[in-house]
Amino acid sequence: MSQKTVRLTMAQAVARFMTAQKTVIAGETVPIFGGVFAIFGHGNVAGVGEALYGVKDTLPTYRGQNEQGMAHAAIAYAKASFRRRFMAVTSSIGPGALNMVTAAALAHVNRLPVLLLPGDVFANRLPDPVLQQVEDWGDGTVSANDCFRPVSRYFDRITRPEQIIPALRRAMQVLTDPAECGPVTLSLCQDVQAEAYDYPESFFAEKVWVPRRIMPDADEFATAAAAIKLSKKPVIIAGGGVLYSEASESLAAFAEEHGIPVMETQAGKSALPHGHELNMGSVGVTGSSASNVLAEEADVVIAVGTRLQDFTTGSWALFKNEAVKIVGLNVQPFDAGKHEALPLVSDARVGLEALDAALMGWQVDSDWTHKAMREKDKWLEAADAATGPTNAELPSDAQVIGAVQRARQKATLVCAAGGLPGELHKLWKADAPGSYHLEYGFSTMGYEIAGGLGVKLARPEDDVVVMVGDGSYMMLNSEIVSSIMLGAKLTIVLLDNAGYGCINRLQMATGGANFNNLLKDTHHVTLPGIDFAAHAAAMGAVSRKVGSIAELEAALAETADADRTTVIVIDTDPLITTDSGGHWWDVAVPEVSERSAVNAAREGYLKALQAQRIG
Ligand SMILES: Cc1ncc(C[n+]2csc(CCOP(=O)(O)OP(=O)(O)O)c2C)c(N)n1
Ligand SMILES: [Mg+2]
């Protein structure tokens, strides 16, 4: 067979292949790769670097400051694009590569596509050991990049140039599959990046990827529909899958037609507008009182596109109805069948629309729907009380959230770790689908600012507001520089409570002494007094420190039109959180301790465990 070929290096083949992959967004064919984040070193500068230069006008390369940060940005880009578009990230070998492992795990947990292209050691092994090579004297095939295996959906090491052909094909299948999607790692041996091969021209033909919408199985569907029809007190839990399937309208129609209240996970929040009368808000450990009261009584829980992690299920103690049945509507069978659920493997939109049609004419008893609406009103009153203006010298996180919400009503909010996610889950009023972007699958400190950059690249028109604690800021803030370089303006609101407030509270709740969380409780010779505004200014950001909620609102209004990333710092109280709503969370308390507070907490813990549904 005489196929037309083109002689390219393996790295050039990777770059060229990426430029040929397309998708359709709003009727327009666009590149499926939004770009490549790159930090070069040995192991990628000569091979991948040369290849990316060659395609820079069609596939832009962005220089980040830290490999983990770049990968966070790339992953956030995919999440903000509802997984319809994604990015690649390339690193040198050794430390550069391993800096991406945490991000790979983040993408794995959150089911988000990203193509990781770390450099690897020489396939020919002749110059071994090279700089930054982890030598394994028991196994010649192992390199540092094997760390990516458990946190990649697909991993391959490319030791011959032609291997990249099946590897990239498999990579695209995984990146675009709604059930399998997650991080793909192609570990590119540095000598092989530079080796040439006669690649078939057809390998670089344009390919347009359209999302696959999985239809339900007839038997599973009949069982699920029958269970819902028999229910008296059904609820819907909307997870991230609702957003990725762009199923908000179908969800609203289904809930309205049948009178079923909807509650949202962290990844699912903004599936319905907060003002929708059937949107009960957050559910679970950081749930609204409305959601949690209903979830306790529910006889059928229609779990749509959710992993049902412990924050959603209150560590499986939330659903108190003995007869409760879960219907697991999910593209991924692994999730659909969790906890004795009746699995309904399907795309969320297709599944909801099919259920709607099958249940046409059936409505839940209106008492249940009215109860939901009353509970929602009660919750809104409590939430408004928590977020209202204040003159307090040290405001709460909730009061800062209220100020941000009042000043930037249309903001797209980004956050990941600390005390803020719980407060935002309860209190942030999200409107448009995707306007609430929480990384709470892995809850990675340091995702916030880098993630904000990815969101802004994916949605340049959005007013992207990042809320971040002092601890997360200290862990990873350097992509502020990238955001300024790229003209990707972020508004960063930094809540400085001088330490790890949420872990300090958790420590107290489990009977622990205040120890090693707030800066004042750490072993130190000098107590740090970090000037965050000066730090951000030094990186080129517009920055200021404000002394009150009123000043914060004014600063947010004033900087709305700033031409670059802006950091606004406010001191907050580390001890206050919103009492209303919420649910127990399983955190194991020591069985024996010399501290009486720990013993008391242990007693409470054992009682709480009795409510846990095992299965
Ligand atoms: C990378 C990483 N390390 C550790 C943790 C555990 N952890 C969760 S929140 C937190 C403290 C966050 O501090 P800060 O950002 O100041 O927020 P605060 O708790 O004060 O609201 C820690 C240590 C984590 N989630 N991620
Ligand atoms: Mg803090």
Side-chain angles (χ1 to χ4, degrees):
M1 193 176 157
S2 67
Q3 268 178 296
K4 243 181 127 193
T5 60
V6 50
R7 191 156 181 80
L8 298 172
T9 68
M10 179 267 270
Q12 289 161 359
V14 172
R16 192 155 161 192
F17 178 87
M18 284 198 286
T19 61
Q21 309 307 307
K22 303 282 168 68
T23 191
V24 181
I25 307 276
E28 203 191 326
T29 302
V30 294
I32 203 163
F33 285 95
V36 183
F37 271 106
I39 291 180
F40 297 141
H42 99 93
N44 72 337
V45 68
V48 169
E50 191 267 351
L52 288 176
Y53 179 78
V55 297
K56 68 180 179 12
D57 296 331
T58 41
L59 180 67
T61 293
Y62 304 127
R63 227 272 331 248
Q65 318 304 319
N66 169 296
E67 291 86 356
Q68 184 179 335
M70 295 196 303
H72 286 170
I75 295 161
Y77 178 93
K79 182 174 166 75
S81 307
F82 299 145
R83 314 198 295 193
R84 298 288 311 281
R85 300 184 73 199
F86 34 79
M87 297 181 82
V89 192
T90 177
S91 77
S92 55
I93 81 164
L98 292 199
N99 272 354
M100 299 198 293
V101 173
T102 302
L106 183 161
H108 196 281
V109 170
N110 288 287
R111 320 281 163 84
L112 293 169
V114 63
L115 178 60
L116 302 175
L117 301 171
D120 208 336
V121 296
F122 279 71
N124 71 21
R125 305 200 187 131
L126 296 180
D128 282 11
V130 298
L131 175 71
Q132 302 171 320
Q133 177 166 354
V134 178
E135 291 180 276
D136 184 322
W137 45 85
D139 186 343
T141 67
V142 165
S143 85
N145 287 3
D146 286 274
C147 295
F148 283 98
R149 288 178 189 271
V151 288
S152 298
R153 284 250 161 235
Y154 174 58
F155 175 92
D156 208 345
R157 175 173 286 118
I158 307 303
T159 59
R160 292 173 62 104
E162 63 272 39
Q163 284 174 349
I164 203 68
I165 299 171
L168 281 170
R169 292 249 183 260
R170 290 173 192 159
M172 288 307 296
Q173 291 299 337
V174 171
L175 291 166
T176 58
D177 185 298
E180 291 302 312
C181 98
V184 169
T185 304
L186 299 181
S187 191
L188 306 179
C189 290
Q190 80 155 281
D191 49 344
V192 187
Q193 287 176 35
E195 259 177 72
Y197 180 77
D198 294 312
Y199 290 93
E201 284 272 14
S202 59
F203 184 55
F204 305 107
E206 183 177 287
K207 166 94 181 153
V208 180
W209 299 87
V210 285
R212 179 181 301 130
R213 293 199 180 270
I214 296 166
M215 310 281 284
D217 167 79
D219 285 345
E220 280 189 0
F221 183 78
T223 308
I228 297 169
K229 210 165 183 173
L230 282 176
S231 70
K232 301 270 176 272
K233 298 176 172 184
V235 299
I236 299 166
I237 296 184
V242 174
L243 291 168
Y244 303 143
S245 157
E246 297 179 71
S248 289
E249 281 176 27
S250 310
L251 172 64
F254 177 71
E256 288 162 18
E257 174 66 29
H258 309 289
I260 308 176
V262 178
M263 36 205 73
E264 297 174 324
T265 70
Q266 284 278 19
K269 191 170 162 99
S270 77
L272 291 187
H274 75 92
H276 190 288
E277 61 181 4
L278 288 170
N279 186 357
M280 302 293 115
S282 58
V283 65
V285 176
T286 52
S288 73
S289 57
S291 292
N292 287 354
V293 161
L294 299 166
E296 284 191 8
E297 278 187 53
D299 56 1
V300 167
V301 175
I302 309 168
V304 189
T306 165
R307 301 163 52 237
L308 293 171
Q309 68 142 310
D310 61 354
F311 263 73
T312 302
T313 65
S315 303
W316 290 107
L318 175 62
F319 312 122
K320 302 219 177 354
N321 187 329
E322 285 284 318
V324 69
K325 275 203 175 65
I326 296 169
V327 173
L329 170 46
N330 206 295
V331 275
Q332 172 55 258
F334 180 86
D335 294 313
K338 278 178 178 163
H339 259 245
E340 300 167 10
L342 304 174
L344 178 53
V345 176
S346 167
D347 169 72
R349 192 160 94 192
V350 170
L352 284 167
E353 287 174 5
L355 283 173
D356 194 20
L359 298 173
M360 200 46 83
W362 173 83
Q363 275 197 333
V364 77
D365 187 350
S366 61
D367 284 357
W368 180 242
T369 317
H370 289 142
K371 174 178 171 136
M373 291 173 182
R374 281 196 309 277
E375 291 295 340
K376 179 171 180 178
D377 287 344
K378 274 195 246 170
W379 166 251
L380 286 181
E381 248 174 63
D384 285 347
T387 51
T390 174
N391 295 324
E393 200 180 325
L394 284 182
S396 65
D397 288 3
Q399 287 161 338
V400 174
I401 290 169
V404 174
Q405 187 101 63
R406 289 189 292 275
R408 296 287 183 86
Q409 288 182 2
K410 293 238 173 323
T412 293
L413 198 282
V414 183
C415 189
L420 277 166
E423 296 293 88
L424 287 163
H425 193 208
K426 280 184 181 177
L427 303 169
W428 186 260
K429 296 176 174 172
D431 261 327
S435 63
Y436 179 84
H437 182 118
L438 250 286
E439 190 285 286
Y440 212 64
F442 214 42
S443 189
T444 311
M445 290 173 73
Y447 175 87
E448 297 86 348
I449 291 169
L453 169 60
V455 175
K456 186 67 181 174
L457 291 178
R459 301 165 157 242
E461 306 305 323
D462 285 14
D463 176 20
V464 178
V465 175
V466 175
M467 292 187 74
V468 63
D470 55 311
S472 272
Y473 181 92
M474 287 302 284
M475 226 176 249
L476 191 50
N477 52 60
S478 52
E479 302 311 334
I480 286 178
V481 173
S482 316
S483 78
I484 294 168
M485 284 163 67
L486 295 173
K489 184 198 159 182
L490 307 174
T491 299
I492 299 169
V493 180
L494 195 166
L495 288 77
D496 182 5
N497 58 12
Y500 300 157
C502 71
I503 308 297
N504 178 58
R505 294 192 298 272
L506 184 58
Q507 188 169 49
M508 291 191 290
T510 51
N514 296 65
F515 171 58
N516 202 47
N517 280 312
L518 298 184
L519 291 171
K520 71 178 173 54
D521 302 323
T522 59
H523 186 99
H524 60 263
V525 176
T526 305
L527 189 63
I530 305 163
D531 185 343
F532 288 105
H535 181 268
M539 286 192 283
V542 172
S543 78
R544 61 191 64 178
K545 170 94 188 252
V546 296
S548 67
I549 288 292
E551 276 183 35
L552 172 62
E553 278 184 63
L556 281 164
E558 265 168 45
T559 56
D561 297 325
D563 68 344
R564 63 185 56 205
T565 290
T566 302
V567 178
I568 304 174
V569 184
I570 184 165
D571 290 344
T572 52
D573 192 315
L575 296 177
I576 313 173
T577 54
T578 304
D579 284 335
S580 312
H583 187 274
W584 174 77
W585 180 39
D586 190 348
V587 174
V589 179
E591 201 166 348
V592 292
S593 171
E594 287 175 3
R595 283 181 60 81
S596 58
V598 173
N599 298 331
R602 174 78 188 178
E603 258 180 57
Y605 176 61
L606 291 178
K607 264 194 217 120
L609 275 181
Q610 287 168 11
Q612 200 167 43
R613 176 178 290 271
I614 298 170

